[in-house]
Amino acid sequence: MKPMTGAATPDRTPAGTPLPKLWLLRHGETEWSRDGRYTGLTDLSLTQHGEEQALAAREHLEGIDFGLVMTSPLQRAVRTAELAGFPDAEVLPFAHEWDYGDNEGRNSATVREENPGYLIWNDGVPNGETLDQVSERADRVIARVQAGCGTPADRDPGAKPVENALLVAHGHFLRIVAARWLQFGGIEGRHFVLGTAAVCALGWDKRTPAIVHWNL
């Protein structure tokens, strides 16, 4: 296909390539995720079941030609990427999980027992990151994926567009990435339940950001 000039047609970049899909893979189970404990920057390994989950996720990603594969720097994500078939994933230092501050390692049910009205999306975390700070990190991922695409998130219009990208990361962070991809506030990530080692895909419908797959 010849490069296009002028405005892009629906679901095409100015270069004439399809607008990119961003595939998401949450890391497999850890002891803390299994037990409902807030796990932000604590660098836990996968459980045996978590490794099995990561291996099983491969079937949803096989056959896709990824022009960009990224992972959180935390070992639970890096290991999940390896087991899913991407040992050479680029480590993005800013793709880590929400910094939960004083709630790190605490059981989420216990936090709500102490404060029955507590909801992280509304109340944030004591001495941790704000939702806006996490959203800004999510925006950096999206800008990387949409570089050269002529979209509102494109911060590098001279870049060569990718058609498929993969991000291996964490539950809350990936939910916020999804909300920001859809051009919603980060708080709307509360609507997207995401299981361990689940695979999702974000894409487009007539140049409108859309969810293509969720929780595969």
Side-chain angles (χ1 to χ4, degrees):
M1 179 178 291
K2 293 181 180 180
M4 297 172 57
T5 59
T9 58
D11 299 334
R12 295 276 168 175
T13 71
T17 59
L19 285 171
K21 281 184 182 177
L22 173 55
W23 294 78
L24 309 176
L25 171 58
R26 185 185 173 191
H27 65 76
E29 178 193 81
T30 68
E31 288 186 10
W32 284 14
S33 68
R34 180 193 62 203
D35 298 341
R37 298 167 68 180
Y38 286 107
T39 318
L41 303 184
T42 303
D43 202 8
L44 299 179
S45 60
L46 300 178
T47 62
Q48 179 61 43
H49 179 56
E51 296 214 347
E52 293 167 357
Q53 289 179 313
L55 285 168
R58 295 180 70 136
E59 68 177 277
H60 299 298
L61 300 168
E62 286 178 342
I64 301 170
D65 184 13
F66 287 105
L68 177 64
V69 179
M70 306 163 288
T71 180
S72 156
L74 296 169
Q75 66 170 312
R76 58 191 184 273
V78 173
R79 180 61 173 157
T80 297
E82 291 173 350
L83 292 171
F86 305 98
D88 299 320
E90 177 185 348
V91 175
L92 286 190
F94 52 85
H96 59 78
E97 180 59 296
W98 196 331
D99 179 353
Y100 296 121
D102 293 348
N103 283 344
E104 181 75 5
R106 301 193 68 208
N107 188 284
S108 56
T110 301
V111 173
R112 285 189 292 275
E113 285 175 4
E114 296 171 353
N115 181 1
Y118 177 77
L119 187 64
I120 191 172
W121 302 100
N122 294 330
D123 302 320
V125 291
N127 297 312
E129 279 186 293
T130 66
L131 178 56
D132 285 346
Q133 288 173 320
V134 185
S135 297
E136 190 278 332
R137 292 194 288 107
D139 288 349
R140 292 174 66 185
V141 172
I142 294 168
R144 177 75 183 280
V145 173
Q146 295 186 22
C149 294
T151 59
D154 180 3
R155 301 178 186 176
D156 186 7
K160 180 181 178 181
V162 299
E163 294 188 21
N164 286 284
L166 172 65
L167 173 63
V168 185
H170 311 272
H172 272 132
F173 185 65
L174 291 177
R175 292 166 71 179
I176 293 167
V177 168
R180 297 299 296 152
W181 181 276
L182 298 173
Q183 300 177 356
F184 298 154
I187 192 173
E188 303 308 334
R190 60 187 170 173
H191 297 295
F192 306 126
V193 176
L194 186 60
T196 48
V199 174
C200 309
L202 306 174
W204 309 86
D205 179 28
K206 298 178 178 64
R207 215 168 172 81
T208 299
I211 293 175
V212 179
H213 304 291
W214 194 260
N215 248 352
L216 297 178

